[in-house]
Amino acid sequence: MSEYDPTAFDAFEEAGWTTKEAAAYDSLAGRVTARVAEPLLEAVGAGPGTRLLDVATGPGYVAARAAERGAEVVGLDFSETMLAFARSRAPDVDFVQGDATALPFEDATFDAVTVAFLLLHLGTPERAVGEAARVLRPGGRAAFSVWDVPARGRWIGVFFDAFTAAGAQPPAGVPAGPSFFRFADEAHFTDLLEGAGLADVAVSTVEFDLHLEDGDELWDGLIEGSVRVRPLILGQSDELQRQIRVRYDALLEPYRGEQGFDVPVSVKLAAGTKA
């Protein structure tokens, strides 16, 4: 993993997500991340009587589904834009503003904690995992999801592979960050949770296909609904953007069906228990 400044990277991510329209995220990325809500909730045993914290709740997919399962739910995010969207979709859930790396809750407050796709957006993901463990009661469960490597998660892979094949480099104004796929390595993911004091850690893979009407749906959705991908593409020259798109279209073609594309999604999910 290359060296990077965690503070600069966190500032970049925070600025991007603070101004990101929740609807832009919901239109594509949300269709993918929402499908991991149920596996996360299964991993922590969410149900009636469970007091659950959903960290970095975003549009509230996991929190809303947990409430439907009968859990007592708190959803936390630093973005008021995302929280407003979540409240409009799940008005019965208690959504609060807060920092995932400094949770505004006492020790041993929750029976379960879910953290969907947050870790890759943090300069120091260890802090968020440590906070999740801190607020868990003894015997409580925490579950985290991250993206699998591009070779298996082609919905992201075709994008990153096209960028590399075109010889593109991150623009100077984009701060370096941790590897997007660092915790796709099951040993690293396990070490992360065990380092926070979680036991009986298990890592599993969640796989499904994302259906797309055409290539523009994925291309535009990732640019408009992300923070890190957008400047990687729009920060290039017009000609290099064209070259990336040509390679992207070629890489997407093997997934074409009779009515669009069906592109593999692969997610790593790790869960552990508070001793």
Side-chain angles (χ1 to χ4, degrees):
M1 184 173 58
S2 62
E3 292 297 323
Y4 63 93
D5 180 348
T7 301
F9 179 74
D10 284 344
F12 165 78
E13 285 278 342
E14 183 173 354
W17 288 111
T18 297
T19 58
K20 179 65 61 183
E21 289 293 332
Y25 178 88
D26 183 65
S27 65
L28 178 80
R31 285 165 46 198
V32 179
T33 58
R35 292 182 63 175
V36 186
E38 197 64 28
L40 283 165
L41 294 170
E42 282 292 319
V44 299
T50 304
R51 180 162 167 76
L52 181 142
L53 173 65
D54 184 39
V55 178
T57 195
Y61 307 129
V62 179
R65 183 69 192 101
E68 291 172 0
R69 291 170 64 115
E72 178 188 347
V73 187
V74 177
L76 175 139
D77 205 282
F78 72 80
S79 169
E80 278 293 353
T81 300
M82 290 290 182
L83 289 172
F85 187 92
R87 291 181 184 119
S88 72
R89 296 292 186 90
D92 296 332
V93 172
D94 181 16
F95 289 107
V96 299
Q97 188 175 34
D99 182 352
T101 64
L103 294 173
F105 306 107
E106 299 293 331
D107 295 357
T109 304
F110 295 94
D111 304 305
V113 177
T114 51
V115 187
F117 304 103
L118 167 68
L119 302 180
L120 54 93
H121 298 292
L122 298 175
T124 52
E126 298 82 2
R127 291 173 58 191
V129 179
E131 280 292 276
R134 179 184 66 78
V135 300
L136 270 179
R137 294 176 179 137
R141 297 273 293 170
F144 307 79
S145 60
V146 298
W147 301 119
D148 204 350
V149 293
R152 291 192 289 267
R154 296 308 291 155
W155 84 289
I156 295 178
V158 293
F159 212 92
F160 282 98
D161 288 353
F163 184 87
T164 300
Q169 296 293 327
V174 178
S179 168
F180 207 71
F181 307 104
R182 173 184 175 188
F183 297 116
D185 183 298
E186 294 189 4
H188 287 168
F189 210 177
T190 299
D191 289 345
L192 178 68
L193 271 64
E194 290 182 342
L198 297 175
D200 302 321
V201 175
V203 181
S204 59
T205 304
V206 179
E207 297 176 298
F208 52 90
D209 285 345
L210 170 66
H211 180 73
L212 304 164
E213 296 297 327
D214 54 38
D216 288 344
E217 187 177 0
L218 179 58
W219 177 269
D220 295 340
L222 284 174
I223 289 176
E224 296 303 321
S226 70
V227 168
R228 208 188 305 195
V229 171
R230 180 179 177 85
L232 289 181
I233 301 301
L234 300 187
Q236 309 298 330
S237 67
D238 290 346
E239 173 58 22
L240 194 48
Q241 287 186 48
R242 188 192 68 79
Q243 292 181 29
I244 295 169
R245 179 60 194 251
V246 167
R247 287 163 174 80
Y248 160 88
D249 286 335
L251 289 166
L252 191 62
E253 192 59 29
Y255 305 103
R256 181 186 292 277
E258 293 183 0
Q259 298 181 346
F261 299 86
D262 291 291
V263 187
V265 175
S266 188
V267 173
K268 289 296 182 181
L269 190 155
T273 303
K274 176 75 169 288

